[in-house]
Amino acid sequence: MSCLNVISRNFSTSVARAAIKNITVVGGGLMGSGIAQVSAQTGHNVTIVELNQDVLDKTHKSIQQNLQRFAKKAYKEKPQEGENFVSETLSRISTSTKIVDVVQDSDLVLEAIVENLSVKHKLFKSIDDVAPAKTIFASNTSSLSITEIAAVCKRKDKFAGLHFFNPVPVMKLLEVIRTPETSDETYETLMAWAKTIGKTAITCKDTPGFVVNRLLVPLLAESVRMLERGDASARDIDIAMKLGAGHPMGPIELADYVGHDTTNSIINGWHEKFPENPLFNPLPTLQKLVDEKKLGVKTGEGFYTIRNNILIY
């Protein structure tokens, strides 16, 4: 690597650190807590915002437990350093139920809330006039249009998508989605910031599902259609893709891990918007599982029965 490349890389990272120091994460669920954790681990000040303090307390406790598990492995030979790592990371995380107060000192506001366009609109509309002009807005949506989410804001040049993957502390990929109105400065700042939090960033236009979900969801859907037609069993479909295509996990297994409510919501949303695309046709089997509350790993039953996070065939 040339000296020039090293200087350029370090410069972009330092610019990102200067531009994004204080981060507000709206939503304390799995994604929000994971985003908050990796941001705090890498030296950023993070405030998690939720509707009530009980949820925030549970989120904070969950992050603490995750950090302790990580430290136990990473600092196995140096437990004191591990304790310091946990305490220092937690010291950079605060919580609040008052988003209007929090965003006034935010460089980046990243929402990870329910996949509902009107709810996201309500959130961003409430803070657009309150947040400083420098503040970048971003959504962690996995299926909704970034352009449509940003429509209620005046700062469309400072709006982008930041799609993380679950579990956030483990998964290295970050999709950075720019709309036609996202400025070069905003885009470059977010791409550089991705490096500071240890992620590999890719770029995608504001297209349904971006890269990963646009390829993954139709695969899961077609796997379910094979089951509906009786072409093969769930177990054989999974074995086929693992041994025949080199996938680490079969599509039916993966569907159970993703959550059938999530996949069903994505497919139905895409079908409503693009009814002519057969890839997005609704799945009766998936809807039935959702109606029966058999959502996969999160409920202990889906296509498979799950015990202690292990699928039972």
Side-chain angles (χ1 to χ4, degrees):
M1 183 180 294
S2 71
C3 179
L4 181 60
N5 285 341
V6 171
I7 293 172
S8 175
R9 182 186 64 187
N10 291 340
F11 177 74
S12 64
T13 301
S14 64
V15 168
R17 287 193 182 280
I20 300 179
K21 294 179 181 177
N22 301 319
I23 300 169
T24 296
V25 177
V26 186
L30 279 175
M31 299 305 295
S33 63
I35 294 167
Q37 179 181 323
V38 298
S39 299
Q41 282 180 203
T42 50
H44 299 85
N45 300 315
V46 184
T47 302
I48 305 171
V49 177
E50 260 291 356
L51 294 176
N52 64 73
Q53 192 60 45
D54 287 343
V55 174
L56 289 170
D57 291 342
K58 291 177 182 177
T59 298
H60 195 274
K61 184 177 180 180
S62 175
I63 293 174
Q64 182 178 12
Q65 292 172 339
N66 289 338
L67 288 169
Q68 289 170 338
R69 281 194 292 269
F70 172 81
K72 192 173 182 179
K73 294 179 181 179
Y75 298 92
K76 188 175 182 180
E77 306 299 326
K78 299 177 181 179
Q80 186 57 55
E81 289 188 16
E83 290 181 18
N84 292 341
F85 164 79
V86 172
S87 61
E88 287 174 8
T89 300
L90 289 174
S91 72
R92 290 190 283 268
I93 299 175
S94 58
T95 61
S96 177
T97 58
K98 300 179 180 179
I99 188 169
V100 172
D101 294 338
V102 173
V103 298
Q104 295 182 34
D105 192 36
S106 294
D107 300 308
L108 170 65
V109 177
L110 205 172
E111 68 85 5
I113 59 176
V114 63
E115 289 284 69
N116 182 296
L117 186 60
S118 63
V119 175
K120 294 181 190 295
H121 276 173
K122 183 178 179 181
L123 165 68
F124 285 115
K125 198 171 183 179
S126 71
I127 61 175
D128 193 29
D129 290 331
V130 180
K134 65 174 183 176
T135 306
I136 296 172
F137 287 175
S139 172
N140 181 60
T141 182
S142 60
S143 61
L144 298 178
S145 164
I146 302 299
T147 302
E148 290 182 12
I149 297 173
V152 297
C153 295
K154 300 172 184 174
R155 63 184 76 209
K156 294 180 179 63
D157 61 319
K158 289 187 173 294
F159 207 113
L162 290 174
H163 184 215
F164 290 80
F165 294 81
N166 186 38
V168 179
V170 176
M171 301 295 279
K172 293 295 184 182
L173 181 65
L174 174 58
E175 292 179 322
V176 178
I177 298 91
R178 63 184 305 177
T179 74
E181 295 182 89
T182 304
S183 70
D184 289 342
E185 180 184 4
T186 297
Y187 167 73
E188 289 163 6
T189 296
L190 292 176
M191 289 292 286
W193 175 72
K195 291 183 181 179
T196 73
I197 61 171
K199 300 302 180 187
T200 298
I202 65 166
T203 303
C204 183
K205 291 181 180 179
D206 188 17
T207 186
F210 315 130
V211 174
V212 173
N213 282 345
R214 181 58 187 269
L215 295 173
L216 183 61
V217 172
L219 171 63
L220 301 186
E222 188 57 25
S223 301
V224 174
R225 292 186 186 107
M226 290 192 77
L227 282 177
E228 292 176 339
R229 293 192 301 264
D231 294 343
S233 69
R235 181 176 181 274
D236 286 349
I237 291 170
D238 285 338
I239 290 174
M241 293 307 291
K242 286 189 284 187
L243 301 186
H247 291 195
M249 183 181 293
I252 304 298
E253 292 176 287
L254 183 56
D256 268 357
Y257 275 104
V258 169
H260 303 308
D261 52 341
T262 300
T263 304
N264 194 53
S265 176
I266 292 172
I267 290 175
N268 289 341
W270 288 355
H271 176 68
E272 184 178 341
K273 194 168 183 179
F274 306 101
E276 74 288 349
N277 192 329
L279 290 174
F280 303 155
N281 285 344
L283 300 163
T285 298
L286 214 57
Q287 185 61 58
K288 185 173 183 291
L289 287 174
V290 172
D291 292 341
E292 294 173 349
K293 308 298 183 187
K294 296 177 180 179
L295 307 181
V297 171
K298 66 179 75 175
T299 61
E301 187 174 4
F303 288 107
Y304 299 108
T305 299
I306 302 100
R307 295 288 181 269
N308 298 320
N309 214 37
I310 297 174
L311 301 180
I312 301 173
Y313 295 92

